[in-house]
Amino acid sequence: MSKRNGESSDPLRALPGVDLVLQSPAAAPWLERLPRERVTDLVREAIGDLRESLIADASQTPEDPLRAVAARVDTLVQSLSDSSLRPVINASGVILHTNLGRAPLGQPAVEAVRSIAGGYCNLEYDVEQGRRGRRDVHCGSLLERLLGAPALVVNNNAAAIFLVLHELARDGEVIVSRGELVEIGDGFRIPDILEASQARLREVGSTNRTNLDDYRDALGERTRALLRIHPSNFKQVGFTGRPAIEQLVALAKSASLPLIEDLGSGCLTDHLAEGIEGEPPVARSIKAGVSLVTFSGDKLLGGPQAGIIAGDAGLVARVRRNPLFRALRVGKLTVAALEATLRSYVAGREDEIPALRLMRAPANVLRSRAHRLAQRLAEHGISGCSVVDGESLLGGGSTPMQRVPSPLVAVEGRPGQTAAHLESGLRSHDPAVVARIEKNRVLLDLRTVPEAQEDELVAAVIHATRPRQTGA
Ligand SMILES: *Cc1c(COP(=O)(O)O)cnc(C)c1O
């Protein structure tokens, strides 16, 4: 909305030159953060962007072109100098939130990463012998102790399944129940992994029922393995059925074929498995005779992103020799975090693992924290906050159906403010707060908010309920 002279002058002539922008007061903070050549490039880019938008639509000529360019450079400078990956406050109550990085690491794992990250380490060096070692050793013996079988660590569970299938079944067929051909999320589908591994999928049974004979009837010359998948992120109810794992083990043994089980979550303890409906502990599958199991390191296990392959020693060694192992192996930071997490299990100190601790956080503690938060918000003039009964979710593509009762703080915001507006205001705070909306109220679940973040959470709610919010 400009045409300042009322005349149809060339709008491109209103564009500031590079030097003019660089000499404007707006440039000082840019030059503090980035070298002059980089800033010059960004200024050029910003002027170029404005030029293009003017060519496309001259009526968009800004009132103050210099300011418009400076604002664009501000954004560019910020995107280059501020961290893109940054902490958020997870007030959603989803304990294993895939979009929020899944399991938070425990203190020992954080310390381990800190001590390793900045320097050299014995990742693949045998210090005693003074020669090359193997990166497998650091987590291998701990996993073997916990699972009762040799194990291998790769980048994530998708990589684990891929590698196992590529090694054991790439020239043949894998038998899978139709009821288990799941999409885990973000487009990750088991059939796609199979295809990428060059194994052919042989679907058996129906969506809701598959019996042992369905598997037996599909056995043939080209069968290389049976694959069982824990359908972790959905639940079938009603007329459903599938063979017990022991039955599949017996069938696979009689056909001299490996049985592979994708467990999804790495549930390492029996008592934890008891508390979670339908969650099979890893050791149980191994004890039952499954040839190879695969599971994630950052779901119920509570460690870093990783995929673990465990089971029959000969098969683990075969998978280890597959040339693609090299492409899927983990780095030293993952080894450090996973080793420390596994040590917490070995030592029986599961409370060091945040995912497990959060799941078991006592309701009375959460309730008094919730009341305290509601009261603090009220003291800041934010009315209409109340403590309501709700649920936290285990989440994380592991067992999202699993709910844990949890007291929540319902925030109504200022009069007339919609829940959606309040929620987006919480996200625009730094650090951003991720909350849930239910029945047109914003709900804050303190189960996933460490006490140390409560002050920031209060500040974020104040920010989000302020009458005149700036920004989009
Ligand atoms: C989560 C999940 C995966 C994928 O694991 P990532 O570690 O995210 O690669 C595969 N299979 C099942 C059953 C899962 O639940």
Side-chain angles (χ1 to χ4, degrees):
M1 290 279 293
S2 81
K3 279 198 188 161
R4 269 166 299 168
N5 306 327
E7 278 156 54
S8 57
S9 60
D10 180 0
L12 296 185
R13 292 183 54 188
L15 288 170
V18 173
D19 286 340
L20 184 68
V21 181
L22 281 174
Q23 281 154 19
S24 74
W30 309 333
L31 292 164
E32 268 167 35
R33 304 177 79 177
L34 295 172
R36 176 168 285 272
E37 305 84 80
R38 173 105 42 222
V39 172
T40 308
D41 282 348
L42 298 180
V43 170
R44 247 186 227 116
E45 186 181 324
I47 296 170
D49 288 351
L50 184 56
R51 174 182 295 114
E52 269 177 35
S53 72
L54 291 186
I55 290 169
D57 181 1
S59 73
Q60 294 297 310
T61 310
E63 210 57 65
D64 183 347
L66 177 60
R67 243 180 67 190
V69 168
R72 173 81 189 130
V73 179
D74 265 337
T75 308
L76 291 171
V77 168
Q78 250 181 46
S79 75
L80 288 185
S81 41
D82 293 357
S83 210
S84 164
L85 185 62
R86 49 183 192 254
V88 302
I89 297 177
N90 176 10
S92 72
V94 180
I95 296 170
L96 298 167
H97 199 307
T98 296
N99 304 146
L100 304 184
R102 287 202 188 145
L105 293 179
Q107 211 47 45
V110 170
E111 289 305 323
V113 171
R114 196 195 306 279
S115 81
I116 292 302
Y120 303 104
C121 63
N122 63 339
L123 181 64
E124 282 187 1
Y125 186 70
D126 184 331
V127 175
E128 259 169 49
Q129 305 287 329
R131 61 172 185 231
R132 199 191 155 153
R134 281 158 74 98
R135 71 177 65 201
D136 309 41
V137 299
H138 308 290
C139 296
S141 57
L142 294 168
L143 282 167
E144 183 155 3
R145 178 82 44 193
L146 289 164
L147 305 175
L152 197 59
V153 183
V154 289
N155 186 48
N156 55 17
N157 188 26
I161 305 163
F162 170 82
L163 190 62
V164 166
L165 292 172
H166 188 263
E167 178 55 36
L168 302 184
R170 69 172 170 271
D171 57 344
E173 284 178 2
V174 177
I175 303 177
V176 191
S177 159
R178 284 206 169 83
E180 297 173 3
L181 288 171
V182 292
E183 172 167 331
I184 310 297
D186 196 24
F188 173 79
R189 290 183 171 158
I190 294 291
D192 297 337
I193 288 280
L194 268 153
E195 195 182 315
S197 73
Q198 294 166 37
R200 268 239 314 283
L201 174 65
R202 180 70 193 268
E203 298 176 41
V204 297
S206 62
T207 304
N208 55 331
R209 281 179 81 87
T210 304
N211 57 42
L212 200 61
D213 282 338
D214 294 324
Y215 285 91
R216 201 190 322 268
D217 294 345
L219 292 172
E221 280 272 285
R222 299 185 45 77
T223 312
R224 295 291 176 274
L226 308 186
L227 174 61
R228 162 88 134 198
I229 298 152
H230 181 53
S232 36
N233 62 350
F234 82 122
K235 188 155 117 184
Q236 287 193 331
V237 291
F239 188 60
T240 63
R242 56 178 201 162
I245 195 74
E246 289 79 8
Q247 292 178 289
L248 278 183
V249 167
L251 179 65
K253 282 228 161 78
S254 72
S256 303
L257 289 168
L259 170 65
I260 302 160
E261 185 176 22
D262 168 15
L263 287 165
S265 256
C267 182
L268 292 191
T269 64
D270 284 357
H271 55 273
L272 179 58
E274 276 160 26
I276 302 174
E277 199 190 330
E279 188 60 45
V282 179
R284 178 172 173 267
S285 288
I286 290 175
K287 218 177 274 166
V290 173
S291 316
L292 286 179
V293 297
T294 73
F295 55 94
S296 297
D298 54 354
K299 290 184 179 173
L300 272 179
L301 195 153
Q305 180 190 303
I308 292 151
I309 301 165
D312 178 84
L315 294 179
V316 169
R318 249 183 84 183
V319 171
R320 175 70 174 78
R321 284 193 301 270
N322 185 301
L324 286 172
F325 172 73
R326 172 66 189 247
L328 303 172
R329 70 184 188 181
V330 291
K332 62 183 175 183
L333 301 186
T334 300
V335 172
L338 184 59
E339 181 189 346
T341 307
L342 295 173
R343 284 195 195 286
S344 293
Y345 278 102
V346 169
R349 289 195 299 261
E350 286 160 31
D351 263 13
E352 289 175 347
I353 296 164
L356 304 185
R357 202 168 58 224
L358 297 180
M359 226 177 306
R360 297 167 182 165
N364 60 336
V365 173
L366 291 173
R367 189 169 299 280
S368 59
R369 284 180 63 195
H371 279 292
R372 196 176 62 203
L373 177 66
Q375 171 150 14
R376 285 184 67 184
L377 292 174
E379 281 163 12
H380 282 96
I382 298 160
S383 56
C385 299
S386 54
V387 177
V388 299
D389 286 324
E391 287 167 329
S392 310
L393 294 170
L394 203 46
S398 60
T399 318
M401 308 292 283
Q402 184 69 32
R403 289 156 192 281
V404 196
S406 200
L408 312 173
V409 179
V411 186
E412 281 178 6
R414 63 168 195 277
Q417 189 177 25
T418 64
H421 189 262
L422 175 57
E423 186 270 346
S424 83
L426 289 171
R427 278 187 284 111
S428 74
H429 185 256
D430 182 22
V433 173
V434 180
R436 259 189 283 166
I437 296 180
E438 249 169 52
K439 295 192 191 130
N440 212 27
R441 297 182 301 194
V442 169
L443 299 176
L444 304 174
D445 189 338
L446 291 178
R447 183 183 297 274
T448 45
V449 180
E451 278 199 71
Q453 284 183 338
E454 271 178 32
D455 289 351
E456 283 290 0
L457 181 57
V458 170
V461 177
I462 294 169
H463 162 88
T465 51
R466 256 204 309 255
R468 264 175 13 94
Q469 227 182 281
T470 51

